[in-house]
Amino acid sequence: MKCLKKLSINTVSVTSLFTGGESPFSTRAFFDIIKYGSGKGISVNFTTNATLVKENTNELLGSGLEIVAFSLPDILMFTPEIRHNIEHFITCRNSSRKPDSPKTYINAALMERNFDTVEKVLSVSKELGVDAINFERSYPWRPEYTEKEETIFKKITDAAEKTDCKVVVPLPHTLPCRLFNTTLFMRWNGDITPCCYRPDHVLGNIMKDDFDDIISKREKFWKNMATDQVCTSCGI
């Protein structure tokens, strides 16, 4: 919480807050962060594998959360328990005083093992009643995937039209990427890194270092992004 407050003081505009990671429900601070962000007019988004969603549904619905994304990297991981948890959350949301909030999404990271299951993902998502399905490139995104992606994306949009599902497919990759251009990634301890895929590259700590120095190091990273080994292997 202290890190978030310090960040909001130093930045010109914080419009969105994305939360996730391992077992965020295990700490009371998780809900405090959501309420603090939403209270400041920040769009707070949360990504989860839905394992612990059922027992935390009421607090999530009352927290001011704007978006919940259920991560589904592989349809084989969609167990009856996970399905039940998501259905429970959506049923409770639909019967609440704000049936349109938070918005619910399925996040599907495209990878070789699930290229042929996109229709099934859409079918399951339709049954669940989520608001949309967001398909994204996985990391690393290999050159051979780039050669196939036009066909894969068309399969997604064709299936979405048949099932009347709202989908989002990845935009063309750019360097610097949209993720870097539109977000500032901060770890739980206040470390600022270029993005979630570069936790090894610490630009500074929001609690200890001068914010202008952090931004200066970030700009330096931006200038060298085209030769960075991780960035050049990323398709986000």
Side-chain angles (χ1 to χ4, degrees), residues 168-185:
V168 179
V169 295
L171 294 170
H173 179 60
T174 60
L175 280 175
C177 72
R178 284 175 296 279
L179 186 63
F180 182 88
N181 282 340
T182 59
T183 65
L184 188 66
F185 186 76

Side-chain angles (χ1 to χ4, degrees), residues 48-227:
T48 174
N49 61 15
T51 302
L52 300 176
V53 160
K54 183 179 179 181
E55 54 261 51
N56 292 282
T57 290
N58 290 337
E59 285 205 85
L60 284 171
L61 292 176
S63 65
L65 196 64
E66 186 164 320
I67 294 174
V68 176
F70 302 109
S71 182
L72 186 63
D74 193 327
I75 196 66
L76 296 177
M77 298 173 64
F78 192 68
T79 64
E81 178 187 7
I82 295 298
R83 182 188 185 107
H84 176 69
N85 290 348
I86 297 175
E87 286 177 336
H88 174 80
F89 182 87
I90 293 176
T91 298
C92 291
R93 182 203 65 171
N94 291 347
S95 60
S96 70
R97 290 180 297 176
K98 295 181 178 180
D100 296 326
S101 181
K103 294 295 185 184
T104 56
Y105 293 83
I106 291 293
N107 262 9
L110 292 166
M111 55 192 77
E112 191 167 15
R113 71 171 184 259
N114 67 15
F115 286 162
D116 295 326
T117 65
V118 293
E119 294 96 338
K120 181 63 176 176
V121 171
L122 288 174
S123 176
V124 167
S125 301
K126 180 70 174 180
E127 293 170 3
L128 290 171
V130 296
D131 295 299
I133 307 95
N134 177 51
F135 289 92
E136 54 190 28
R137 298 180 183 91
S138 60
Y139 174 82
W141 192 251
R142 301 174 183 172
E144 58 265 33
Y145 296 169
T146 301
E147 296 173 5
K148 299 177 182 179
E149 69 176 31
E150 184 176 346
T151 301
I152 297 167
F153 295 170
K154 187 176 187 307
K155 181 189 292 187
I156 292 172
T157 54
D158 287 348
E161 187 174 345
K162 292 177 182 178
T163 55
D164 193 29
C165 287
K166 182 179 178 179
V167 299
V168 179
V169 295
L171 294 170
H173 179 60
T174 60
L175 280 175
C177 72
R178 284 175 296 279
L179 186 63
F180 182 88
N181 282 340
T182 59
T183 65
L184 188 66
F185 186 76
M186 182 174 69
R187 301 184 66 206
W188 65 272
N189 61 352
D191 282 349
I192 303 293
T193 72
C195 78
C196 56
Y197 296 109
R198 291 305 309 271
D200 61 306
H201 192 100
V202 179
L203 302 171
N205 187 283
I206 193 68
M207 300 300 294
K208 302 175 183 177
D209 301 316
D210 181 77
F211 191 70
D212 288 339
D213 289 343
I214 294 174
I215 294 302
S216 178
K217 291 178 182 178
R218 192 173 185 271
E219 290 175 350
K220 183 177 180 180
F221 181 88
W222 174 80
K223 293 178 181 179
N224 296 304
M225 190 178 290
T227 58

